Amino acid sequence: MSSISNVINTSSGVMRMNSIINQFNLIDLPKEGGLFQIIDRSSIQVSLPHRSQESTLRAQSHIYYMLTSLCPDKQHLTHNYLHSIEDADDLHILVEGDSVDYYLFYENGHVEHKILGHDYISGELPIIATPGTITSKALKLRPGKNGFAFIVSVLTPEWTPERCTIGAGQLFLDKYIGKQDWCTSEFLKELIGPNWKENTTIID
């Protein structure tokens, strides 16, 4: 089989991507990057007594999410830039499309790299769950034959913008550079993207 079969068929990829965007009314996700749309929220409410604000939330929210490389003038659509959401587990399921790199950062300095995808033999995972105790995470679309990844996200409890923290700065670099081979200053800055925050370095 010719290797050309692994090259993105731009025409069919764009048609399929646009079909999904239109059907599910996906829109730009500000600052984080990618496209999204909230599907619904749970009818059940949960209480988080330790929170002084937003102590009562819906048990879940369900969100459509997409990353795509088929819009060259919108590079922010290939990444879900570094961010976190306080007090929420986040479960991602790949519905359709190419694989996605997940970069996870923990408070104790531990880092993880996982791949959401359908090539299970090579170690890709159909579902990736990130705990609410994680410091931050970032996603990057991997090259593939489709040019996009269409994902469903289940957040427990629900997503609210007030609990989101987006971006990082020098403190983040100081903490995580060198933790793994991919934790270079250049790449971590790529994951932060346009959301760089000015702060000081860590002093031992």
Side-chain angles (χ1 to χ4, degrees), residues 62-96:
H62 312 128
I63 298 172
Y64 291 128
Y65 187 71
M66 177 182 281
L67 293 174
T68 178
S69 61
L70 298 177
C71 302
D73 60 331
K74 296 183 177 181
Q75 284 298 111
H76 63 284
L77 298 184
T78 62
H79 290 67
N80 186 213
Y81 293 115
L82 191 76
H83 69 284
S84 63
I85 179 166
E86 189 177 355
D87 295 320
D89 292 340
D90 194 2
L91 179 72
H92 284 198
I93 305 164
L94 181 62
V95 178
E96 182 179 344

Side-chain angles (χ1 to χ4, degrees), residues 9 15 23 97 100 119 127:
N9 184 329
M15 288 178 61
Q23 182 171 353
V100 178
D119 186 357
I127 295 173

Side-chain angles (χ1 to χ4, degrees), residues 5-50:
S5 63
N6 294 321
V7 177
I8 295 174
N9 184 329
T10 304
S11 177
S12 62
V14 169
M15 288 178 61
R16 181 58 183 155
M17 176 191 72
N18 287 336
S19 173
I20 294 171
I21 290 172
N22 292 332
Q23 182 171 353
F24 299 107
N25 193 30
L26 304 185
I27 58 175
D28 275 32
L29 179 57
K31 294 186 178 182
E32 280 189 40
L35 302 164
F36 87 117
Q37 187 59 254
I38 296 176
I39 305 169
D40 56 27
R41 301 185 302 162
S42 172
S43 60
I44 298 171
Q45 291 189 324
V46 295
S47 178
L48 302 176
H50 67 282

Side-chain angles (χ1 to χ4, degrees), residues 92-105:
H92 284 198
I93 305 164
L94 181 62
V95 178
E96 182 179 344
D98 298 323
S99 305
V100 178
D101 286 311
Y102 281 64
Y103 299 96
L104 312 179
F105 302 88

Side-chain angles (χ1 to χ4, degrees), residues 117-145:
H118 291 151
D119 186 357
Y120 311 139
I121 293 177
S122 69
E124 295 182 356
L125 303 168
I127 295 173
I128 290 181
T130 55
T133 53
I134 200 170
T135 299
S136 51
K137 69 177 179 183
L139 283 59
K140 182 179 180 181
L141 181 68
R142 293 170 69 90
K145 64 181 180 180

